[in-house]
Amino acid sequence: MEIRLNSMVQSTGLKKVKCSVFISGTGSNLKSLIHFSKKKNSPISIELIISDNANAKGLKFGKIFKISNKVFNFKNRLIAEKKIISEIKKKKIKLICLAGFMKILSKSFIKNFKGKILNIHPSLLPKYKGLYTHKRAILNREKYSGCTVHFVSSRLDSGKIILQKKIRISKFDTTKSLARKILIQEHKLYPEAIRKVISL
Ligand code: GAR
């Protein structure tokens, strides 16, 4: 997969890897990925935004930049995923970036796009998989936390790590201040990780 992405960018010179970004909420990572995609030398174009939440604030960024979006109800995950697969195929999406997408994708969906789904997680994986990462890190008096971009595998937050950024937790940090500090790093790390995957 990685080699195919790379050859697409190199052979055409111009052709960018078509991406879809999945979000559930604020979408600050989506916003940073859109800005990244608009850079002249960016290897990606964002063609589709997917959300499980019609009220996700991040959907507005897609609207501002006229990127099409689709919202799917995950009450029936199988149906939602079927529709997503059809949209992704229609738009010839080659890379899926989960960016604050809070639903767990099925094993068969992940298998369908093996090596093509990336996720950003707000901890230094393998530490603190799952939810409430900042709170747990502070309660455990960790000196460091950070963020990780990894390939998505069928085990939650366990796929191969692409890049990580470590930050120091100060004794004054609260869950909120730590989340804010880590988000700033996430916005830099995700584009770097995408470049790395595409140039592998
Ligand atoms: C980010 O911190 C992201 O790492 C985290 O949700 C936040 C979304 O922020 N993702 C997860 O916890 C996934 N397990 P955003 O909507 O502003 O990008």
Side-chain angles (χ1 to χ4, degrees):
M1 168 59 194
E2 292 81 6
I3 291 157
R4 263 182 42 222
L5 287 176
N6 181 32
S7 63
M8 255 181 76
V9 177
Q10 281 187 350
S11 62
T12 59
L14 283 172
K15 208 165 176 189
K16 296 187 175 200
V17 175
K18 293 185 176 180
C19 293
S20 174
V21 181
F22 288 26
I23 63 165
S24 294
T26 314
S28 70
N29 275 291
L30 166 66
K31 185 179 171 198
S32 105
L33 290 179
I34 294 174
H35 285 300
F36 170 60
S37 74
K38 299 289 175 194
K39 287 190 175 162
K40 214 174 159 191
N41 66 355
S42 173
I44 60 160
S45 69
I46 299 173
E47 304 289 327
L48 179 64
I49 295 160
I50 300 270
S51 183
D52 60 304
N53 172 13
N55 299 316
K57 283 192 195 154
L59 288 171
K60 71 171 184 270
F61 300 122
K63 287 182 185 134
I64 294 169
F65 288 91
K66 298 193 167 48
I67 301 168
S68 55
N69 74 71
K70 295 270 175 197
V71 177
F72 297 105
N73 185 339
F74 265 68
K75 267 192 186 147
N76 187 327
R77 185 173 70 177
L78 202 71
I79 294 177
E81 289 184 347
K82 254 190 175 168
K83 291 180 181 166
I84 293 175
I85 291 171
S86 140
E87 286 299 323
I88 282 177
K89 298 224 157 121
K90 220 187 317 174
K91 291 206 172 278
K92 302 192 170 23
I93 300 294
K94 298 285 182 256
L95 185 68
I96 294 172
C97 299
L98 308 184
F101 183 67
M102 305 312 274
K103 295 288 179 202
I104 294 175
L105 295 163
S106 71
K107 282 190 176 139
S108 87
F109 183 93
I110 293 167
K111 216 172 136 195
N112 219 305
F113 297 102
K114 195 164 182 275
K116 301 181 187 183
I117 313 177
L118 312 184
N119 181 42
I120 188 151
H121 184 77
S123 79
L124 293 173
L125 289 172
K127 278 191 158 181
Y128 303 107
K129 296 172 184 175
L131 299 174
Y132 312 115
T133 54
H134 311 306
K135 191 174 175 186
R136 288 190 283 147
I138 288 175
L139 284 175
N140 283 343
R141 299 182 192 284
E142 295 282 359
K143 286 203 166 68
Y144 296 95
S145 186
C147 45
T148 305
V149 179
H150 62 96
F151 286 105
V152 172
S153 71
S154 53
R155 281 179 26 251
L156 182 71
D157 299 329
S158 297
K160 191 171 175 228
I161 291 172
I162 300 159
L163 280 181
Q164 284 187 312
K165 175 74 184 179
K166 188 171 169 182
I167 66 141
R168 204 178 164 85
I169 302 178
S170 99
K171 60 179 183 205
F172 304 109
D173 269 324
T174 60
T175 304
K176 255 192 173 171
S177 70
L178 182 58
R180 223 175 5 246
K181 276 199 228 170
I182 291 179
L183 257 185
I184 293 170
Q185 298 308 320
E186 289 185 34
H187 299 159
K188 297 180 197 159
L189 193 71
Y190 217 161
E192 269 181 56
I194 289 172
R195 275 197 198 284
K196 187 173 170 192
V197 165
I198 290 176
S199 67
L200 280 176

